[in-house]
Amino acid sequence: MNATLASTAAAPAPAPATTPQPHPGTASTRPRAPRPRTAPGGPAGTRPRGPAGAHPRTAPPRTLPPHTVFAERLLAVLSGERPVHWMLGHTVGEAYEQLVRIAPETPLRSLGPRPVLRRCSVQVDAGRTAVEAFATIATGPRVRAMAFRLERGADQRWRCAAVELDGLGAGAAPTRHA
């Protein structure tokens, strides 16, 4: 009886021989040859030079001088891209009040192209504690002038102390006639 059970319990049938099906998106069913090994950085002569672990960029990103940074900040406020209070910690004395007076008029706002800083020149005082800067701003074909003064505080941070636009003064107060 054991023999009958053994003969009736069929061994699993061998799987039919099939050809391997290609992976969807591939055209061939042939096995790929192994790729030749190369150095970790790529083929010979293509690795960046320098000490191991060094970043390929050798120079740090270029930082802008303070007068250019302030010219861009003033441009953003006077064109209406940023609110006046964005300059709160970056102004001293009368400069913030000047910005409060003229910024609502957005004198550098344009209906056409965005105003851009074309040039920013600087005159440094002898003690290197103050800077007089002059910037030209282009809005399409129109060019405007902006002048401002930066003063270095005791904490060595630059702050804007005065602003003028087009040589007329920033928000020129009405003249009083006696």
Side-chain angles (χ1 to χ4, degrees):
M1 186 156 164
N2 284 343
T4 3
L5 287 176
S7 64
T8 58
T18 60
T19 57
Q21 296 297 320
H23 189 278
T26 61
S28 153
T29 59
R30 293 189 338 212
R32 292 186 183 176
R35 290 186 179 176
R37 296 188 63 94
T38 58
T46 62
R47 292 182 66 187
R49 310 264 167 149
H55 194 274
R57 184 193 312 186
T58 57
R62 190 174 141 199
T63 58
L64 295 174
H67 62 278
T68 304
V69 171
F70 273 87
E72 290 284 356
R73 292 181 76 88
L74 290 169
L75 172 62
V77 169
L78 296 175
S79 66
E81 290 180 24
R82 291 287 190 160
V84 179
H85 67 267
W86 190 53
M87 292 293 291
L88 258 176
H90 303 282
T91 55
V92 292
E94 183 67 19
Y96 187 75
E97 283 79 19
Q98 291 172 334
L99 287 172
V100 167
R101 282 194 300 266
I102 62 173
E105 300 166 10
T106 57
L108 297 179
R109 177 171 281 172
S110 166
L111 297 177
R114 178 190 180 278
V116 294
L117 183 66
R118 283 182 48 183
R119 182 174 171 218
C120 191
S121 302
V122 67
Q123 179 69 39
V124 182
D125 76 338
R128 296 186 144 313
T129 58
V131 168
E132 298 281 341
F134 172 83
T136 54
I137 298 160
T139 307
R142 185 173 182 182
V143 177
R144 310 271 310 259
M146 179 173 62
F148 54 97
R149 178 179 174 85
L150 300 179
E151 295 177 355
R152 184 177 281 181
D155 60 355
Q156 299 301 305
R157 291 179 52 207
W158 291 101
R159 291 184 179 84
C160 185
V163 180
E164 288 189 14
L165 197 58
D166 295 326
L168 303 174
T175 56
R176 295 184 183 162
H177 298 288

